[in-house]
Each structure stands twice: as C-alpha cells, then as structure tokens.
Amino acid sequence: MALSDRDFLVFGGWGGLSMLNDLVLYNSETFAFTSIAEQSVSPEARKGATLMAIGTETLLFGGETDDGRRLQDLWSLSEEIGWQRLQVVGESPGRRSFHAAAVSGHRMCIHGGRHGDGWLLNDMWCYDVYSHSWSEIETGRAPPARMGHTMIALSGGSQWLIFGGTGADDVVSDTTWTVDLQVDSTWKQISCRGASPSPRKGHGAAQIRVG
C-alpha cells in the first residue's frame, strides 16, 4: 500500500446501517477508489475519528462506536507494518469524538470534541511521533468548548487556527480562533474582514498554497 501526494485515504464512519472500519484508497491519476484488504489487526469500527498523514505513517485517533462508546486509542498505518496500535508514553488526551486535528512537522495536535462522558471540550493536546508521547498545551484564554470544528496548522506549525463547530446548547459557531505556540500560547478570536462563512459544523478544511 504505497501512498503518494496523489492519493488520499478514507477510513470508517457511519454507513447508514452500521459503523465501518474499512480502508479505501483514492488515486487522483486513475480517478479510482481501491479497497485495501482487511488486515488481521485493525481499529474498531467508528465515526468522529481523525486520520492524519505525518511523515511516512498515518495516525488515527479517537472516535465513537456504534454503541456510543468514545475512544482514546491511537493507531499508526504504514506501508511496512499496516495497522499498529501505538503504546503511548505518559498521559493521553482521554476519550473523545468529533474533535479537530492538524499536523505540522513531527507533531499531530487535536482540539476539543465530545468527552467520553458527554460534555464538550476545549483543550489542546499534541502527539510527538519521536517521543511517542502526548503533551497538553497549556493556553491562557481558550475558545468555548466545541465539537465538529476544523483545525489547520499555519506559519510552519507555530500558529494553529480553528473554525466553526457546535458548542453549548447545540449553538453552531462561525467564529475563528488562533493560537501561536511560539509566542504566548494564548487563543485569540479573529475579527474577519468582509464576508465570512456562515455558522457550520462537520465541515472540511485544508491548507492551500497559492503561486
């Protein structure tokens, strides 16, 4: 299973009748999806997880099962080994689903989501692929707790940005927040100029290069 910058992976989700844990590869040159053969070891079927490519591997974290259990397992997918559940050193972010995630360098960071016991979160954790450990990012002022939002890493990984999601009382947000981990690690709400996207949750977002 060789991956390139022409491919993307789809994992799991809700299939309408049941939860899925299949893995499908799309190739933009052939315009074709290919199902990856089921492996002897693979993550439990789930929705609301995040799947992030980092270096030569792809990391899957969290999500929730068909019976509503929220997960905190971390899996690595690589061409050489296939799926492998990672043993994390020290603390972990805890059970959650519908959190946001982004990658920069050798770190995958997550934000918010719905906790295993049901409440919404606004914490931020980063996983280091070199040390195999999570660390909670201590920030000052933080955005209101939310789920179903998106996060992007900018400025070489020092600046992280979140948008949208749903918070308390199921209010859907159109706010944008940013934190610079190399400056003061304090979240700041951005007052966007001109028109901005309407309130939304469960959307997608990606960093693009212009020029």
Side-chain angles (χ1 to χ4, degrees), residues 100-102 109-111 124 149-153 160-163 187 205:
C109 295
I110 65 167
H111 178 272
M124 183 175 180
H149 54 307
T150 48
M151 181 163 68
I152 296 293
W160 302 74
L161 182 147
I162 65 170
F163 172 77
W187 285 100

Side-chain angles (χ1 to χ4, degrees), residues 21-34:
N21 72 338
D22 57 340
L23 191 64
V24 185
L25 176 70
Y26 177 80
N27 184 281
S28 62
E29 291 188 336
T30 62
F31 306 104
F33 281 102
T34 303

Side-chain angles (χ1 to χ4, degrees), residues 12 17 24 32 60 66 70 80 88 93 120 134 136 139 163 210:
L17 297 176
V24 185
L60 173 76
D66 204 1
R70 295 181 183 91
E80 297 78 14
V88 175
L120 296 180
W134 288 98
E136 183 173 8
T139 61
F163 172 77
V210 179

